[in-house]
Coordinates of all heavy atoms in Angstrom, one line a residue:
L1 N 83.0 321.8 111.9 CA 84.2 322.3 112.5 C 84.3 323.8 112.1 O 84.1 324.2 111.0 CB 85.4 321.6 111.9 CG 85.4 320.1 112.1 CD1 86.6 319.4 111.3 CD2 85.5 319.7 113.6
M2 N 84.5 324.6 113.2 CA 84.5 326.1 113.0 C 85.9 326.6 113.4 O 86.3 326.5 114.6 CB 83.4 326.7 113.9 CG 83.3 328.1 113.8 SD 82.7 328.8 112.3 CE 80.9 328.3 112.4
D3 N 86.5 327.2 112.4 CA 87.8 327.9 112.7 C 87.5 329.2 113.4 O 86.5 329.9 113.1 CB 88.5 328.2 111.4 CG 90.0 328.5 111.6 OD1 90.4 328.9 112.8 OD2 90.8 328.4 110.7
L4 N 88.2 329.6 114.4 CA 88.0 330.8 115.2 C 88.5 332.0 114.4 O 87.9 333.1 114.6 CB 88.6 330.8 116.6 CG 88.0 329.7 117.5 CD1 88.6 329.8 118.9 CD2 86.5 329.8 117.6
R5 N 89.5 331.9 113.7 CA 90.0 333.1 112.9 C 89.6 333.0 111.5 O 90.2 332.2 110.7 CB 91.5 333.2 113.1 CG 91.9 333.5 114.5 CD 93.4 333.9 114.5 NE 93.7 334.6 115.7 CZ 94.8 335.1 116.0 NH1 95.8 335.1 115.1 NH2 95.0 335.7 117.2
M6 N 88.7 333.8 111.1 CA 88.3 333.9 109.7 C 88.3 335.4 109.3 O 88.2 336.3 110.1 CB 86.9 333.3 109.5 CG 86.9 331.9 109.9 SD 85.3 331.1 109.5 CE 84.2 331.8 110.8
P7 N 88.4 335.7 108.0 CA 88.6 337.1 107.6 C 87.5 338.1 107.8 O 87.7 339.2 108.2 CB 89.0 337.0 106.1 CG 88.5 335.6 105.7 CD 88.5 334.8 106.9
V8 N 86.3 337.7 107.6 CA 85.1 338.6 107.7 C 84.5 338.6 109.1 O 84.1 339.6 109.7 CB 84.1 338.4 106.6 CG1 82.9 339.3 106.8 CG2 84.8 338.5 105.3
M9 N 84.3 337.4 109.6 CA 83.6 337.2 110.9 C 84.3 336.0 111.7 O 84.7 335.0 111.1 CB 82.2 336.7 110.6 CG 81.3 336.4 111.8 SD 79.7 335.7 111.3 CE 79.0 337.0 110.2
D10 N 84.6 336.3 113.0 CA 85.3 335.2 113.7 C 84.3 334.1 114.0 O 83.1 334.2 113.8 CB 86.0 335.8 115.0 CG 85.0 336.2 116.1 OD1 83.9 335.6 116.1 OD2 85.4 337.0 116.9
G11 N 84.9 333.0 114.3 CA 84.2 331.7 114.6 C 83.2 331.8 115.7 O 82.1 331.2 115.7
L12 N 83.5 332.6 116.7 CA 82.5 332.8 117.9 C 81.3 333.5 117.4 O 80.1 333.1 117.7 CB 83.2 333.6 119.0 CG 84.4 333.0 119.6 CD1 85.0 334.0 120.6 CD2 84.0 331.7 120.4
E13 N 81.4 334.6 116.6 CA 80.2 335.3 116.1 C 79.5 334.4 115.1 O 78.2 334.4 115.1 CB 80.7 336.6 115.4 CG 79.5 337.4 114.9 CD 80.0 338.7 114.3 OE1 81.2 339.0 114.2 OE2 79.1 339.5 113.8
A14 N 80.2 333.7 114.2 CA 79.6 332.8 113.2 C 78.7 331.8 114.0 O 77.6 331.5 113.5 CB 80.6 332.2 112.3
T15 N 79.3 331.2 115.0 CA 78.6 330.2 115.8 C 77.4 330.7 116.4 O 76.3 330.0 116.3 CB 79.5 329.5 116.8 OG1 80.6 328.9 116.1 CG2 78.8 328.5 117.7
E16 N 77.4 331.9 117.0 CA 76.3 332.4 117.6 C 75.1 332.7 116.7 O 74.0 332.4 116.9 CB 76.7 333.7 118.4 CG 77.5 333.4 119.6 CD 78.1 334.7 120.3 OE1 78.0 335.8 119.7 OE2 78.6 334.5 121.4
L17 N 75.5 333.2 115.5 CA 74.5 333.4 114.4 C 73.9 332.1 113.9 O 72.7 332.0 113.7 CB 75.1 334.2 113.3 CG 75.4 335.7 113.6 CD1 76.2 336.3 112.4 CD2 74.2 336.5 113.9
L18 N 74.8 331.1 113.7 CA 74.3 329.8 113.2 C 73.4 329.2 114.2 O 72.3 328.7 113.8 CB 75.5 328.9 113.0 CG 75.3 327.5 112.6 CD1 74.8 327.5 111.1 CD2 76.5 326.7 112.7
L19 N 73.7 329.2 115.5 CA 72.8 328.6 116.5 C 71.6 329.4 116.6 O 70.5 328.8 116.9 CB 73.6 328.5 117.8 CG 74.8 327.5 117.8 CD1 75.5 327.5 119.1 CD2 74.4 326.1 117.4
A20 N 71.6 330.7 116.5 CA 70.4 331.5 116.7 C 69.4 331.3 115.5 O 68.2 331.3 115.7 CB 70.8 333.0 116.7
D21 N 69.9 330.9 114.3 CA 69.1 330.7 113.2 C 68.6 329.3 113.1 O 67.8 329.0 112.2 CB 69.9 331.0 111.9 CG 70.0 332.5 111.7 OD1 69.3 333.3 112.3 OD2 70.8 332.9 110.8
S22 N 69.1 328.3 113.9 CA 68.7 327.0 113.9 C 67.6 326.7 114.9 O 67.6 327.4 115.9 CB 69.9 326.0 114.1 OG 70.3 326.2 115.4
G23 N 66.7 325.8 114.6 CA 65.7 325.5 115.5 C 66.2 324.6 116.6 O 67.3 324.0 116.5
E24 N 65.5 324.5 117.8 CA 66.0 323.7 118.8 C 66.0 322.2 118.4 O 66.9 321.5 118.9 CB 65.0 323.9 120.1 CG 65.2 325.2 120.7 CD 64.3 325.3 122.0 OE1 64.0 324.2 122.6 OE2 63.9 326.4 122.4
D25 N 65.2 321.8 117.5 CA 65.2 320.4 117.1 C 66.4 320.1 116.2 O 66.6 318.9 115.9 CB 63.9 320.1 116.4 CG 62.7 320.1 117.4 OD1 62.9 320.1 118.6 OD2 61.5 320.3 116.9
H26 N 66.9 321.1 115.5 CA 67.9 320.9 114.5 C 69.3 321.7 114.8 O 69.9 322.1 113.9 CB 67.4 321.2 113.2 CG 66.3 320.4 112.7 ND1 65.0 320.6 113.1 CD2 66.3 319.2 112.0 CE1 64.2 319.6 112.6 NE2 65.0 318.8 111.9
S27 N 69.6 321.8 116.0 CA 70.8 322.6 116.4 C 72.0 321.8 116.0 O 72.2 320.7 116.3 CB 70.8 322.8 117.9 OG 71.8 323.6 118.3
P28 N 72.9 322.5 115.2 CA 74.1 321.9 114.8 C 75.1 321.7 115.9 O 75.1 322.4 116.9 CB 74.7 322.8 113.7 CG 74.1 324.1 114.1 CD 72.8 323.9 114.7
V29 N 76.0 320.7 115.7 CA 77.1 320.5 116.6 C 78.3 321.2 116.1 O 78.7 321.0 115.0 CB 77.4 319.0 116.8 CG1 78.7 318.8 117.6 CG2 76.3 318.2 117.3
V30 N 78.7 322.3 116.8 CA 79.9 323.1 116.3 C 81.1 322.8 117.2 O 81.0 322.9 118.4 CB 79.5 324.6 116.4 CG1 80.7 325.5 115.9 CG2 78.2 324.9 115.6
I31 N 82.2 322.4 116.5 CA 83.4 322.1 117.2 C 84.4 323.2 116.8 O 84.7 323.4 115.6 CB 84.0 320.7 116.7 CG1 82.9 319.6 116.8 CG2 85.3 320.4 117.5 CD1 82.4 319.4 118.2
A32 N 85.0 323.8 117.8 CA 86.0 324.9 117.5 C 87.3 324.3 117.1 O 87.7 323.2 117.5 CB 86.2 325.7 118.8
M33 N 88.0 325.0 116.2 CA 89.4 324.7 115.8 C 90.2 326.0 116.0 O 89.8 327.0 115.4 CB 89.4 324.3 114.3 CG 88.7 323.0 114.0 SD 89.0 322.4 112.3 CE 89.1 323.9 111.3
T34 N 91.2 325.8 116.7 CA 92.1 327.0 117.0 C 93.5 326.6 117.3 O 93.7 325.6 117.8 CB 91.5 327.9 118.1 OG1 92.2 329.1 118.3 CG2 91.4 327.2 119.4
A35 N 94.4 327.6 117.1 CA 95.8 327.4 117.5 C 95.9 327.8 118.9 O 96.9 327.5 119.6 CB 96.7 328.2 116.6
N36 N 94.9 328.5 119.5 CA 95.0 329.0 120.9 C 94.4 327.9 121.8 O 93.2 327.7 121.7 CB 94.2 330.3 121.0 CG 94.7 331.4 120.1 OD1 95.9 331.5 119.9 ND2 93.8 332.2 119.6
G37 N 95.2 327.3 122.6 CA 94.7 326.2 123.4 C 94.6 326.5 124.9 O 94.5 325.7 125.7
Q38 N 94.5 327.8 125.2 CA 94.3 328.2 126.6 C 92.9 327.9 127.1 O 92.0 327.9 126.4 CB 94.7 329.7 126.8 CG 96.1 330.0 126.4 CD 96.3 331.5 126.5 OE1 95.5 332.3 126.7 NE2 97.6 331.9 126.4
S39 N 92.9 327.7 128.4 CA 91.5 327.4 129.0 C 90.5 328.5 128.8 O 89.3 328.2 128.7 CB 91.7 327.0 130.5 OG 92.2 328.1 131.2
S40 N 91.0 329.7 128.8 CA 90.1 330.9 128.6 C 89.5 330.8 127.2 O 88.4 331.2 127.0 CB 90.8 332.2 128.9 OG 91.9 332.4 128.0
D41 N 90.3 330.4 126.2 CA 89.8 330.2 124.8 C 88.7 329.2 124.7 O 87.7 329.3 124.1 CB 90.9 329.9 123.8 CG 92.0 331.0 123.7 OD1 91.6 332.2 123.7 OD2 93.2 330.7 123.8
R42 N 89.0 328.0 125.4 CA 88.0 327.0 125.4 C 86.7 327.5 126.1 O 85.6 327.2 125.6 CB 88.6 325.8 126.2 CG 87.6 324.6 126.3 CD 88.3 323.5 127.1 NE 87.4 322.4 127.2 CZ 87.3 321.4 126.3 NH1 88.0 321.5 125.1 NH2 86.4 320.4 126.4
E43 N 86.8 328.2 127.1 CA 85.6 328.6 127.9 C 84.8 329.6 127.0 O 83.6 329.6 126.9 CB 86.1 329.4 129.1 CG 84.9 329.8 130.0 CD 85.4 330.4 131.3 OE1 86.3 329.8 131.9 OE2 84.8 331.4 131.7
R44 N 85.5 330.5 126.3 CA 84.8 331.4 125.4 C 84.1 330.7 124.3 O 83.0 331.0 123.9 CB 85.8 332.4 124.7 CG 86.4 333.4 125.7 CD 87.4 334.4 125.0 NE 87.0 334.8 123.7 CZ 87.8 334.9 122.7 NH1 89.1 334.6 122.8 NH2 87.4 335.4 121.5
C45 N 84.7 329.6 123.7 CA 84.0 328.8 122.7 C 82.8 328.1 123.2 O 81.7 328.1 122.6 CB 85.0 327.8 122.1 SG 86.3 328.5 121.2
L46 N 82.9 327.5 124.4 CA 81.8 326.8 125.0 C 80.6 327.8 125.3 O 79.5 327.5 125.2 CB 82.2 326.0 126.2 CG 83.2 324.9 125.9 CD1 83.6 324.2 127.2 CD2 82.6 323.9 124.9
N47 N 81.0 329.0 125.8 CA 80.0 330.0 126.1 C 79.3 330.5 124.9 O 78.2 331.0 124.9 CB 80.6 331.2 126.9 CG 81.0 330.8 128.3 OD1 80.4 329.9 128.9 ND2 81.9 331.6 128.9
A48 N 80.0 330.5 123.7 CA 79.4 330.9 122.5 C 78.4 329.8 121.9 O 77.7 330.0 120.9 CB 80.4 331.2 121.4
G49 N 78.4 328.6 122.5 CA 77.5 327.6 122.1 C 78.2 326.4 121.4 O 77.5 325.5 121.0
M50 N 79.5 326.5 121.3 CA 80.2 325.4 120.6 C 80.2 324.2 121.5 O 80.1 324.3 122.8 CB 81.6 325.8 120.3 CG 81.7 326.9 119.3 SD 83.4 327.3 119.0 CE 83.2 328.5 117.6
A51 N 80.1 323.0 120.9 CA 80.0 321.8 121.7 C 81.3 321.3 122.2 O 81.4 320.7 123.3 CB 79.4 320.7 120.8
D52 N 82.4 321.6 121.5 CA 83.7 321.0 121.9 C 84.8 321.9 121.2 O 84.5 322.9 120.5 CB 83.9 319.6 121.6 CG 84.5 318.8 122.7 OD1 85.5 319.3 123.2 OD2 84.0 317.7 123.0
F53 N 86.1 321.4 121.4 CA 87.2 322.2 121.1 C 88.4 321.4 120.6 O 88.7 320.4 121.3 CB 87.6 322.9 122.4 CG 88.6 324.0 122.4 CD1 88.3 325.3 122.1 CD2 89.9 323.7 122.7 CE1 89.2 326.3 122.1 CE2 90.9 324.7 122.7 CZ 90.5 326.0 122.4
L54 N 89.0 321.7 119.5 CA 90.2 321.1 119.0 C 91.3 322.1 118.8 O 91.0 323.2 118.3 CB 89.9 320.4 117.7 CG 89.1 319.1 117.6 CD1 88.7 318.8 116.2 CD2 89.9 318.0 118.3
T55 N 92.5 321.8 119.2 CA 93.6 322.7 119.0 C 94.4 322.3 117.8 O 94.5 321.1 117.5 CB 94.5 322.8 120.2 OG1 95.0 321.5 120.5 CG2 93.8 323.4 121.3
K56 N 94.9 323.2 117.0 CA 95.8 323.0 115.9 C 97.2 322.7 116.4 O 97.6 323.3 117.4 CB 95.8 324.2 114.9 CG 94.4 324.5 114.4 CD 94.5 325.7 113.5 CE 93.2 326.1 113.0 NZ 93.2 327.3 112.2
P57 N 98.0 321.9 115.7 CA 97.6 321.2 114.5 C 96.6 320.1 114.8 O 96.8 319.3 115.7 CB 99.0 320.6 114.0 CG 99.8 320.5 115.2 CD 99.4 321.6 116.1
I58 N 95.6 320.0 113.9 CA 94.6 319.0 114.1 C 95.1 317.6 113.6 O 95.7 317.4 112.6 CB 93.4 319.4 113.2 CG1 92.9 320.7 113.5 CG2 92.3 318.3 113.3 CD1 92.3 320.9 114.9
Q59 N 94.8 316.6 114.5 CA 95.2 315.3 114.2 C 94.0 314.4 113.9 O 92.9 314.6 114.5 CB 95.9 314.6 115.5 CG 97.1 315.4 116.0 CD 98.2 315.4 115.0 OE1 98.5 314.4 114.4 NE2 98.8 316.5 114.8
A60 N 94.1 313.6 112.8 CA 93.0 312.8 112.3 C 92.3 312.0 113.4 O 91.1 311.9 113.5 CB 93.4 311.9 111.2
G61 N 93.1 311.4 114.3 CA 92.6 310.6 115.4 C 91.7 311.4 116.3 O 90.7 310.9 116.8
D62 N 92.2 312.7 116.6 CA 91.4 313.5 117.5 C 90.0 313.9 116.9 O 89.0 314.0 117.5 CB 92.2 314.8 117.8 CG 93.4 314.6 118.6 OD1 93.5 313.5 119.3 OD2 94.3 315.4 118.5
V63 N 90.1 314.1 115.5 CA 88.8 314.5 114.8 C 87.9 313.3 114.9 O 86.7 313.4 115.2 CB 89.1 314.9 113.4 CG1 87.8 315.1 112.6 CG2 89.9 316.2 113.3
R64 N 88.3 312.1 114.6 CA 87.5 310.9 114.6 C 86.9 310.7 116.1 O 85.7 310.4 116.2 CB 88.3 309.6 114.3 CG 88.4 309.5 112.7 CD 89.0 308.1 112.4 NE 90.3 307.9 112.8 CZ 91.4 308.3 112.1 NH1 91.3 308.9 111.0 NH2 92.6 308.1 112.6
E65 N 87.7 310.9 117.1 CA 87.2 310.7 118.4 C 86.2 311.7 118.8 O 85.1 311.3 119.4 CB 88.4 310.9 119.4 CG 88.0 310.7 120.9 CD 89.2 310.9 121.8 OE1 90.3 310.4 121.5 OE2 89.1 311.7 122.8
I66 N 86.4 312.9 118.4 CA 85.4 314.0 118.8 C 84.1 313.8 118.0 O 83.0 314.0 118.5 CB 86.0 315.4 118.6 CG1 85.3 316.3 119.6 CG2 85.8 315.9 117.2 CD1 86.1 317.6 119.9
L67 N 84.2 313.4 116.7 CA 83.0 313.1 115.9 C 82.2 311.9 116.5 O 81.0 312.0 116.5 CB 83.4 312.8 114.4 CG 83.9 314.1 113.7 CD1 84.4 313.7 112.3 CD2 82.9 315.2 113.6
K68 N 82.9 310.9 116.9 CA 82.2 309.7 117.5 C 81.5 310.2 118.8 O 80.4 309.7 119.0 CB 83.2 308.6 117.9 CG 83.6 307.8 116.7 CD 84.3 306.5 117.3 CE 85.7 306.5 116.6 NZ 86.5 305.3 117.1
R69 N 82.1 311.1 119.6 CA 81.5 311.6 120.8 C 80.1 312.2 120.6 O 79.3 312.1 121.4 CB 82.4 312.6 121.4 CG 82.0 313.1 122.8 CD 83.0 314.0 123.4 NE 84.4 313.5 123.3 CZ 85.5 314.3 123.3 NH1 85.4 315.6 123.4 NH2 86.7 313.7 123.3
Y70 N 79.9 312.8 119.4 CA 78.7 313.5 119.1 C 77.8 312.6 118.1 O 76.9 313.2 117.5 CB 79.0 314.9 118.6 CG 79.6 315.7 119.7 CD1 80.9 315.8 119.8 CD2 78.8 316.2 120.7 CE1 81.5 316.6 120.9 CE2 79.3 316.9 121.8 CZ 80.6 317.1 121.8 OH 81.2 317.8 122.9
G71 N 78.1 311.4 118.0 CA 77.2 310.5 117.2 C 77.4 310.4 115.8 O 76.6 309.8 115.0
F72 N 78.6 310.8 115.3 CA 78.8 310.7 113.8 C 79.6 309.5 113.5 O 80.5 309.1 114.3 CB 79.7 311.9 113.3 CG 78.9 313.2 113.4 CD1 79.0 314.1 114.5 CD2 78.1 313.6 112.4 CE1 78.4 315.3 114.6 CE2 77.4 314.9 112.5 CZ 77.5 315.7 113.6
D73 N 79.2 308.8 112.5 CA 79.9 307.6 112.0 C 81.2 307.9 111.4 O 81.2 308.7 110.4 CB 79.0 306.8 111.1 CG 79.5 305.5 110.6 OD1 80.6 305.0 111.2 OD2 79.0 304.9 109.7
T74 N 82.3 307.4 111.9 CA 83.6 307.7 111.4 C 84.2 306.5 110.6 O 85.4 306.6 110.3 CB 84.5 308.2 112.5 OG1 84.7 307.1 113.4 CG2 84.0 309.4 113.2
Q75 N 83.4 305.5 110.4 CA 83.9 304.4 109.7 C 84.1 304.7 108.2 O 83.2 305.2 107.6 CB 82.9 303.2 109.8 CG 82.8 302.7 111.2 CD 84.1 302.1 111.8 OE1 84.9 301.4 111.1 NE2 84.4 302.4 113.0
T76 N 85.2 304.3 107.7 CA 85.5 304.6 106.3 C 84.9 303.4 105.5 O 85.1 302.2 105.7 CB 87.0 304.6 106.0 OG1 87.6 305.6 106.8 CG2 87.3 304.9 104.5
K77 N 84.0 303.8 104.5 CA 83.4 302.8 103.7 C 84.2 302.6 102.4 O 84.4 303.6 101.7 CB 82.0 303.1 103.4 CG 81.2 303.1 104.7 CD 79.7 303.4 104.5 CE 79.1 303.4 105.8 NZ 77.8 303.8 105.9
Q78 N 84.6 301.5 102.0 CA 85.3 301.2 100.8 C 84.5 300.4 99.9 O 83.7 299.5 100.3 CB 86.6 300.5 101.1 CG 87.5 301.2 102.0 CD 88.8 300.4 102.3 OE1 88.9 299.3 101.9 NE2 89.8 301.1 103.0
S79 N 84.5 300.8 98.6 CA 83.7 300.0 97.7 C 84.5 298.7 97.3 O 85.7 298.7 97.3 CB 83.4 300.9 96.4 OG 84.6 301.3 95.9
A80 N 83.7 297.7 96.8 CA 84.3 296.5 96.4 C 85.0 296.7 95.1 O 84.6 297.5 94.3 CB 83.2 295.4 96.2
P81 N 86.2 296.0 94.9 CA 86.9 296.1 93.6 C 86.1 295.6 92.4 O 85.3 294.9 92.4 CB 88.2 295.3 93.9 CG 88.0 294.5 95.1 CD 86.8 295.1 95.8

């Protein structure tokens, strides 16, 4: 999950650097998190290489849904008492 507003480097630049440094076989899935939910913001994120987009406030169900979409197991594992 990549926040778009960070103090030193914004999320778009961070994503571009992250993806440039990763190999094609190990490209990370980057999901944007932002308070800006306009379609132009979404387009900028996707153009930077992000896989998807979440708007704040972030809801747990939305995070689970998006993680499942990209093949992450979202089942909570509980240990036996």
Side-chain angles (χ1 to χ4, degrees):
L1 300 173
M2 179 72 71
D3 197 340
L4 293 186
R5 289 193 166 186
M6 298 186 290
V8 176
M9 178 185 306
D10 71 24
L12 297 172
E13 185 180 357
T15 297
E16 289 171 351
L17 290 172
L18 178 68
L19 295 175
D21 285 346
S22 66
E24 288 184 28
D25 294 339
H26 295 83
S27 185
V29 175
V30 181
I31 309 298
M33 294 188 323
T34 182
N36 303 325
Q38 298 177 349
S39 61
S40 61
D41 296 316
R42 180 181 180 83
E43 186 176 318
R44 287 178 46 221
C45 292
L46 297 177
N47 287 339
M50 294 180 177
D52 223 316
F53 188 88
L54 287 169
T55 56
K56 295 177 184 178
I58 304 296
Q59 303 296 317
D62 294 339
V63 173
R64 279 191 294 275
E65 181 182 313
I66 212 162
L67 291 175
K68 279 192 237 180
R69 187 178 308 157
Y70 293 97
F72 294 94
D73 181 10
T74 60
Q75 296 296 320
T76 305
K77 295 182 180 172
Q78 297 179 354
S79 58

